[in-house]
C-alpha cells in the first residue's frame, strides 16, 4: 500500500515537472527568435584553377580575381550601383582642376599577419605597376606611369595627374600589396614570386591551404570591416562548369560560381538551388574591321553597317541562344548610367528596311546564289568568335539571320588567340565582350588614338567623336561631361562603327541552406562576394526581449 502511494506520488510529480517543462519551452519558443550564428564552411564549385593570387596579376584569370576579392582590398571599391565607396581609404578628395587626388587611409588596418597597413604599402604597390618591367596587363602600367604618387604622412597619399581624367578613381580599386613581404622584389620577379600562392592581404578571408583541387580560406579576425559569419570558405576547382554543376548535384559543393546560359534549363529543375541573377557592366559586340578596306570593303559603307544591325533580331538571339540571359543594349554607354543619352537613335529589328537599304546601296543578288553582290564582290565575311559555347551559339544565330537578307557569314572559332587577333586588327568581323568599370568614359574603346595599341579594335577614326571624348576628359562636372557624351552617342548611332548587341547577365547558383546571399549589379563576377560577410549557414534561438512579434533574421 505504501509502495503504491509512493509510485503515485512519483508519477504525479513527474507529470507536473513535464508539464512545467513543456509550458516553459512553449513560453520560450514564443518569446524567442532564430538569429544567424557564427560558424560553418561555405563550399563553392568554380571552373578553372588559380595561377596568380595577386590583384596586380589576376586580370586574365577569373579564379585569381575571385580569390583576390576575398583576400585583398583596394583604396576604393564599387558598390551595388557601380559607384565608388571607401575601402582601405576612409575618404578622398579631388582638386577643382581634377589633377590632384588625396586619399586618407583608415587608421588601425592590419595585414593578415598582424603588421600595420600604411601609406608606404600603397606607394610600393603603385611603384610596381609604374615599373617598365611590370608583367601585368599593359593598361595598368600605362595608366600609373602617367601619375605622380607621394606619401604625405603615414596614412595620406597624393596622386597628381598630368591632365584631367575623371575615370582615374576607378583604378584605385586595385588591391594593395604588403611592402614588408615584397620589398626586396623587383617588378620583373613578380610573376615567379611564392607570394602569388601564399598571399597576405587585408580582406575578410585569409588563405589557409591551396592545391590543385581546392583553396581553403579562414575568416580573418583582423578584418577592419564587418566580421564574416562563415568560419571558412572553400573554392573547389573543376575543369568546366558542367563538372561544377555535377559536383553540386552530388552534394560536394553548396554553390556553383557561374551557370552558363546553356545550363539554365537543367539547373532550374534543382529544387534545392537558389538562382541569383545580376547584370554585368559590359556588353557583347560584333566588331567590324574598318581598318582593312581591301579585305572587307563593304564595312566602309554606313548603309551596310546599318543593314547588318537591322537584320538582327537581338531579342530572339537572347531568348533562344542564351535562354533569356541578356539585356538589349543601345550604344556604347549603359542605359543605367548617368551619361546615357535616352534620345539617341535606336536601330530596331527591321529586315524589310535592311533589305531596302542594301538594294539602294547597290548590293543585290545578281547571280541567284542567295547572296548579295556588287562590282564582282560578294557580301560575305568571316565572323570570329571565342570557343565559349554560348558565344558560338550567338555567332551562329546572327549568321542565320543575316542569311535571310542575303548576307553570307562563316563562323570561325578560335581559342585563346582572339584577343591577339583583335589587337592586330586581323579579322573581318569578331564577336567579343567589352568589360566596363564604374565611370562611363568610352575613350579607351572608340577614340582614334586607341586604334594602335589600344582597345579601338574596330579601327573607327572619327574626328568629331574623338574630339568629344577628349573634351569629356577635361572636366569633372557630370553635367558638362553629359553634353559631350550625349553628342558622342548621337554620332555613334548614326555611324554605327560596330554592332553592340546586349549586356550580359550573370547567374549564380547557391544552396537554400546558405542565407542572406544578395547579388547587385556587378562590374566583375567576383563582386558576388561583396556581401559575403553577411552570409550564414548556422542559426541559434535567443530570447526576444523586444516581444513576441519581433522578427530577427529568420531562416530563408
Amino acid at each position: 500500500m505504501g509502495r503504491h502511494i509512493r509510485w503515485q506520488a512519483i508519477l504525479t510529480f513527474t507529470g507536473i515537472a513535464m508539464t512545467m517543462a513543456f509550458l516553459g519551452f512553449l513560453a520560450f519558443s514564443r518569446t524567442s527568435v532564430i538569429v544567424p550564428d557564427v560558424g560553418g564552411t561555405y563550399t563553392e564549385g568554380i571552373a578553372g584553377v588559380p595561377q596568380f593570387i595577386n590583384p596586380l596579376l589576376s586580370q586574365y584569370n577569373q579564379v585569381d580575381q575571385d580569390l583576390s576579392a576575398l583576400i585583398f582590398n583596394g583604396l576604393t571599391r564599387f558598390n551595388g550601383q557601380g559607384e565608388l565607396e571607401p575601402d582601405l581609404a576612409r575618404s578622398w578628395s579631388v582638386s577643382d582642376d581634377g589633377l590632384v587626388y588625396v586619399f586618407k587611409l583608415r587608421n588601425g588596418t592590419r595585414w593578415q599577419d598582424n603588421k600595420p597597413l600604411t601609406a608606404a604599402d600603397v606607394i610600393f604597390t603603385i611603384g610596381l605597376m609604374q615599373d617598365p618591367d611590370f608583367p601585368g596587363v599593359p593598361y595598368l602600367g600605362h595608366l600609373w606611369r602617367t601619375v605622380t604618387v607621394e606619401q604625405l604622412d603615414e596614412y595620406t597619399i597624393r596622386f597628381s595627374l598630368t591632365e584631367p581624367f575623371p575615370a582615374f578613381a576607378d583604378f584605385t580599386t586595385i588591391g594593395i600589396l604588403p611592402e614588408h613581404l615584397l620589398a626586396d622584389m623587383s617588378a620583373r620577379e613578380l610573376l615567379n614570386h611564392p607570394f602569388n600562392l601564399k598571399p597576405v592581404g587585408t580582406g575578410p578571408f585569409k588563405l589557409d591551404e591551396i592545391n590543385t583541387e581546392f583553396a581553403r580560406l579562414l575568416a580573418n579576425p583582423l578584418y577592419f570591416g564587418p566580421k564574416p559569419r562563415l568560419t571558412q570558405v572553400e573554392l573547389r576547382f573543376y575543369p568546366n562548369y558542367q563538372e561544377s554543376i555535377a559536383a553540386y548535384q552530388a552534394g560536394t559543393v553548396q554553390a556553383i560560381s557561374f551557370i552558363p546560359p546553356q545550363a539554365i534549363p537543367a539547373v532550374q529543375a534543382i529544387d534545392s538551388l537558389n538562382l541569383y541573377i545580376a547584370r554585368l557592366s559590359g556588353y557583347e559586340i560584333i566588331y567590324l574591321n574598318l581598318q582593312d578596306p581591301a579585305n572587307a570593303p563593304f564595312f566602309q559603307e554606313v548603309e551596310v553597317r546599318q543593314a547588318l544591325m537591322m537584320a538582327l533580331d537581338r531579342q530572339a538571339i537572347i531568348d533562344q541562344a542564351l535562354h533569356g540571359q541578356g539585356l538589349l543594349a543601345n550604344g556604347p554607354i549603359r542605359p543605367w548610367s548617368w551619361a546615357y543619352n535616352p534620345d539617341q537613335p535606336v536601330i530596331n529589328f527591321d529586315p524589310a528596311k535592311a533589305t531596302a537599304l542594301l538594294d539602294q546601296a547597290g548590293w543585290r543578288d545578281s547571280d541567284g546564289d542567295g547572296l548579295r553582290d556588287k562590282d564582282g564582290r560578294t557580301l560575305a565575311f568571316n565572323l570570329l568568335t571565342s570557343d565559349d559555347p554560348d558565344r558560338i551559339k550567338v555567332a551562329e544565330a546572327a549568321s542565320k539571320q543575316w542569311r535571310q537578307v542575303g548576307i553570307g557569314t562563316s563562323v570561325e572559332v578560335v581559342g585563346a588567340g582572339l584577343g591577339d587577333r583583335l589587337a592586330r586588327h586581323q579579322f573581318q568581323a569578331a564577336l567579343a565582350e567589352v568589360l566596363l568599370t564604374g565611370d562611363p568614359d568610352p575613350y579607351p574603346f572608340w577614340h582614334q588614338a586607341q586604334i594602335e595599341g589600344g582597345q579601338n579594335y574596330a579601327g573607327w577614326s572619327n574626328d568629331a567623336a574623338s574630339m568629344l571624348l577628349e573634351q569629356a576628359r577635361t572636366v569633372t562636372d557630370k553635367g558638362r561631361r553629359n553634353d559631350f557624351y550625349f553628342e558622342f552617342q548621337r554620332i555613334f548611332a548614326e555611324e554605327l562603327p560596330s554592332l553592340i548587341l546586349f549586356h550580359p547577365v550573370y547567374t549564380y547558383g547557391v544552396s537554400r541552406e546558405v542565407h542572406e546571399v544578395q547579388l547587385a549589379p556587378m562590374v566583375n563576377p567576383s563582386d558576388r562576394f561583396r556581401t559575403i560577410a553577411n552570409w550564414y549557414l548556422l542559426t541559434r534561438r535567443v530570447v526576444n526581449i523586444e516581444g513576441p512579434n519581433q522578427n530577427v533574421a529568420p531562416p530563408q
Side-chain angles (χ1 to χ4, degrees), residues 265-278:
V267 299
Q268 284 178 331
I270 304 175
D271 291 337
S272 64
L273 192 67
N274 278 329
L275 297 184
Y276 298 89
I277 299 173

Side-chain angles (χ1 to χ4, degrees), residues 50-57 64 72 113 124 128 133-135 177-200 207 210:
Q51 293 178 306
F52 307 104
I53 310 175
N54 182 326
L56 272 58
L57 303 175
D64 292 341
F72 295 93
D113 61 3
F124 170 75
L128 288 175
D133 293 328
F134 174 60
L177 299 180
E179 182 190 32
H180 67 278
L181 294 178
L182 298 169
D184 296 333
M185 176 204 66
S186 68
R188 186 192 300 272
E189 298 171 306
L190 192 59
L191 280 178
N192 300 315
H193 200 282
F195 180 87
N196 296 325
L197 290 177
K198 296 180 179 179
V200 174
L207 187 65
I210 188 167

Side-chain angles (χ1 to χ4, degrees), residues 71-334:
I71 297 170
F72 295 93
N73 299 93
L75 293 175
T76 62
R77 64 183 177 187
F78 291 111
N79 62 21
Q81 288 72 49
E83 302 166 335
L84 286 177
E85 63 182 17
D87 201 1
L88 289 176
R90 59 181 172 85
S91 65
W92 71 92
S93 60
V94 186
S95 63
D96 291 340
D97 59 8
L99 296 177
V100 178
Y101 291 70
V102 176
F103 285 80
K104 293 187 176 296
L105 298 177
R106 298 176 186 269
N107 292 1
T109 301
R110 306 193 77 83
W111 292 100
Q112 291 165 355
D113 61 3
N114 207 20
K115 300 294 183 181
L117 176 134
T118 69
D121 295 303
V122 180
I123 301 295
F124 170 75
T125 303
I126 304 305
L128 288 175
M129 292 185 285
Q130 291 177 328
D131 193 303
D133 293 328
F134 174 60
V137 290
Y139 71 81
L140 284 177
H142 176 74
L143 180 278
W144 285 108
R145 282 192 284 272
T146 66
V147 179
T148 300
V149 187
E150 302 169 86
Q151 179 176 336
L152 301 185
D153 59 42
E154 193 173 15
Y155 295 103
T156 309
I157 309 102
R158 179 167 61 201
F159 300 110
S160 300
L161 283 58
T162 56
E163 58 184 6
F165 179 30
F168 167 73
D170 287 359
F171 288 84
T172 62
T173 59
I174 191 83
I176 301 301
L177 299 180
E179 182 190 32
H180 67 278
L181 294 178
L182 298 169
D184 296 333
M185 176 204 66
S186 68
R188 186 192 300 272
E189 298 171 306
L190 192 59
L191 280 178
N192 300 315
H193 200 282
F195 180 87
N196 296 325
L197 290 177
K198 296 180 179 179
V200 174
T202 53
F205 290 89
K206 59 181 181 178
L207 187 65
D208 176 55
E209 182 180 353
I210 188 167
N211 55 42
T212 57
E213 296 182 352
F214 67 87
R216 181 183 299 117
L217 300 97
L218 307 180
N220 174 20
L222 302 175
Y223 182 50
F224 60 85
K227 300 298 186 290
R229 292 165 172 163
L230 299 169
T231 302
Q232 299 183 54
V233 169
E234 190 173 290
L235 300 185
R236 301 196 67 87
F237 311 130
Y238 298 94
N240 51 57
Y241 294 112
Q242 290 80 5
E243 291 200 25
S244 64
I245 294 172
Y248 178 84
Q249 293 174 309
T252 307
V253 299
Q254 298 161 302
I256 307 162
S257 68
F258 169 64
I259 300 173
Q262 61 180 311
I264 294 294
V267 299
Q268 284 178 331
I270 304 175
D271 291 337
S272 64
L273 192 67
N274 278 329
L275 297 184
Y276 298 89
I277 299 173
R279 66 177 186 240
L280 288 168
S281 290
Y283 52 76
E284 294 287 324
I285 182 174
I286 294 178
Y287 285 112
L288 307 177
N289 191 344
L290 307 179
Q291 286 291 299
D292 192 7
N295 197 25
F298 33 75
F299 290 152
Q300 303 296 316
E301 301 179 36
V302 66
E303 295 84 1
V304 171
R305 301 198 296 268
Q306 291 172 342
L308 285 168
M309 188 62 132
M310 291 176 184
L312 288 180
D313 186 347
R314 293 178 290 153
Q315 189 60 57
I317 292 175
I318 292 171
D319 294 340
Q320 297 166 17
L322 300 176
H323 298 283
Q325 305 301 291
L327 301 171
L328 285 178
N330 186 34
I333 292 181
R334 297 156 289 193

